[in-house]
Amino acid sequence: MNNDKTSLEIRIYRLVKNDLEYIIKDVGKYGLDALKLYIECVDKKIKSLEEEGKQ
């Protein structure tokens, strides 16, 4: 069971790392507006998932 949790955590951290690499490239290319847009999109998704969890 603990091994499954560790494996899942590793996958999550790899996804976050990949996302951060793309964000850094986009911010370098498009400026801080790209970062603001990314944060807004993530925030909307979190709120949507929270609402789904309440139902």
Side-chain angles (χ1 to χ4, degrees), residues 7 10 14-15 28 33-34 38 40-41 45 49 51 54:
S7 177
I10 291 169
R14 284 184 179 150
L15 288 171
D33 287 339
Y38 183 85
E40 288 174 14
C41 290
K45 184 63 177 179
L49 291 171
E51 288 299 317
K54 290 179 184 177

Side-chain angles (χ1 to χ4, degrees), residues 16 19-44:
V16 170
D19 282 350
L20 289 172
E21 288 173 347
Y22 282 113
I23 292 167
I24 290 168
K25 288 177 186 175
D26 285 347
V27 169
K29 189 173 182 180
Y30 301 110
L32 288 179
D33 287 339
L35 182 58
K36 290 176 187 174
L37 181 59
Y38 183 85
I39 292 170
E40 288 174 14
C41 290
V42 170
D43 195 39
K44 286 179 186 176

